[in-house]
Amino acid sequence: MVEVGELNVDEIHLPGIYVDKIIKSVNRENRIERLREASTTKKDGDDISVSTKMIINRATKELKNGMYVNLGIGLPTMVSNYIPPEISIEIHAENGLLGVGPYPQVGYADPDFINAGKETVTALPGSSAFSSSESFSIVRGGHLDLTMLGGLQCSSSGDLANWIIPGKMVKGMGGAMDLVSAKSRVIVIMDHIAKDGSHKIVPQCTLPLTGKGVVDRIITDMCVFDCDKNGENGGGLTLIEIAPGLTVDDIQKATGCKFKITSNDIP
C-alpha cells in the first residue's frame, strides 16, 4: 500500500473506477498445485512407458525452427522436455506465457510459472507473460503455427473429442475449443486404443466434440494418419507411417474406421 500519486500512471492497468475495496493480504501463500521437476521427468525417458516415449519422439519431428506452438494438457505437455537441441521454437501456454521451457530443476520451482495444466515450468530467456485475454487474442488471431493436443476420440473426418467423458467430473473445457478453431495446424497425439480396449479412431465421435473437422494429423503409438478434414482428396484418413514391428492389418484391427494407404512406401 502506497500513498496517492506514488504510482506511475503509465504502469496502472486497472483504473480506480473498477475498484470497490482493497484488501491487503497477510502471510499469503502462493501454493504449487502440481509440482513437476526435471528429476521426475528424466530426459532419457526412464519414467515413461515405451509407447508414450514413441509418441513423444514422433511428435517432436513435427516441430520446425521458428514455430509458435501450443502444447495441450497431458501427453502434449511432455513434448517440451524432449525437443531436440537444434530446434528452436516458442511454446505458448494459454494461461499467459510465451517462451515456456522444460520442467524446473529440483528446488527451483516457481509457483508463478505454470502451464495450462498447472504444472510447474520454466520461462526461457526472452519469454513474456500476459493476461489470459491477451493469450486468447494470440490464439484467435491465428498467430500460432502448430497446436498439439491429446484426444479421447478422433473421427475419420477430422472431428475431435478430448474435453469430457459424460458422467465424469471435469474442471472445465479449457482452451481446446478456441485452439482447434484457430488457423494453426492441429495434431492429435494419443494412444491408439483406449484403456478398455475400445477404438479411439472412429467413423464418428460418440463423445462431446471439441471441434468438427479440425484435425490435420493423428500420431499414436501404432502409426501416423493424415486427415483430409477439408475433403480435398475425397476425405478420410490416410496411413502414412507404421510403428516398427506392425503391419497394415494390425493397424486396421486397432482402428474403428476405414482408411487409405499412402502411395509411397510406408516408413
Side-chain angles (χ1 to χ4, degrees), residues 63-93:
L63 306 176
K64 309 299 179 186
N65 279 318
M67 275 187 166
Y68 290 98
V69 180
N70 183 285
L71 300 175
I73 296 173
L75 189 57
T77 301
M78 299 177 68
V79 173
S80 64
N81 292 277
Y82 295 85
I83 299 173
E86 66 273 14
I87 299 296
S88 176
I89 63 172
E90 293 280 352
I91 298 178
H92 167 266

Side-chain angles (χ1 to χ4, degrees), residues 43-63:
K43 194 71 175 180
D44 58 12
D46 285 347
D47 61 334
I48 61 176
S49 67
V50 173
S51 61
T52 297
K53 186 178 180 181
M54 184 182 300
I55 295 171
I56 292 173
N57 286 338
R58 177 58 185 82
T60 60
K61 295 181 180 180
E62 300 292 329
L63 306 176

Side-chain angles (χ1 to χ4, degrees), residues 21-260:
K21 183 183 293 185
I22 297 177
I23 300 175
K24 184 178 181 180
S25 63
V26 179
N27 298 325
R28 176 176 175 270
E29 180 186 4
N30 197 358
R31 294 185 299 119
I32 295 176
E33 293 191 36
R34 299 190 66 188
L35 177 63
R36 295 298 300 270
E37 295 176 318
S39 64
T40 59
T41 310
K42 300 177 183 178
K43 194 71 175 180
D44 58 12
D46 285 347
D47 61 334
I48 61 176
S49 67
V50 173
S51 61
T52 297
K53 186 178 180 181
M54 184 182 300
I55 295 171
I56 292 173
N57 286 338
R58 177 58 185 82
T60 60
K61 295 181 180 180
E62 300 292 329
L63 306 176
K64 309 299 179 186
N65 279 318
M67 275 187 166
Y68 290 98
V69 180
N70 183 285
L71 300 175
I73 296 173
L75 189 57
T77 301
M78 299 177 68
V79 173
S80 64
N81 292 277
Y82 295 85
I83 299 173
E86 66 273 14
I87 299 296
S88 176
I89 63 172
E90 293 280 352
I91 298 178
H92 167 266
E94 61 259 36
N95 56 310
L97 182 61
L98 184 64
V100 179
Y103 295 129
Q105 297 296 317
V106 177
Y108 286 88
D110 186 335
D112 288 324
F113 289 110
I114 59 174
N115 58 29
K118 299 187 177 181
E119 298 174 332
T120 49
V121 294
T122 54
L124 298 176
S127 62
S128 55
F130 32 81
S131 68
S132 179
S133 60
E134 181 72 20
S135 182
F136 278 93
S137 291
I138 291 173
V139 174
R140 295 166 184 164
H143 300 287
L144 298 176
D145 299 300
L146 175 65
T147 296
M148 201 170 285
L149 299 171
L152 296 171
Q153 286 182 337
C154 282
S155 78
S156 57
S157 57
D159 301 343
L160 171 65
N162 79 340
W163 73 277
I164 189 174
I165 297 175
K168 291 194 175 183
M169 184 176 178
V170 294
K171 292 184 177 180
M173 63 185 66
M177 291 186 180
D178 282 282
L179 287 164
V180 300
S181 299
K183 299 176 182 178
S184 65
R185 178 173 169 79
V186 175
I187 296 177
V188 172
I189 63 175
M190 63 181 186
D191 291 325
H192 201 99
I193 301 173
K195 292 180 180 179
D196 63 2
S198 61
H199 293 139
K200 298 183 70 171
I201 303 175
V202 292
Q204 291 185 327
C205 295
T206 56
L207 297 174
L209 291 183
T210 304
K212 190 172 180 62
V214 295
V215 179
D216 292 287
R217 177 166 287 179
I218 303 169
I219 299 174
T220 77
D221 52 330
M222 296 183 71
C223 68
V224 179
F225 284 118
D226 271 346
C227 185
D228 183 17
K229 64 182 183 181
N230 297 318
E232 296 175 355
N233 297 301
L237 301 176
T238 300
L239 180 66
I240 63 170
E241 295 178 27
I242 297 178
L246 298 180
T247 66
V248 173
D249 286 340
D250 293 328
I251 305 303
Q252 186 64 78
K253 291 175 183 177
T255 306
C257 60
K258 295 181 179 180
F259 55 81
K260 293 174 283 190

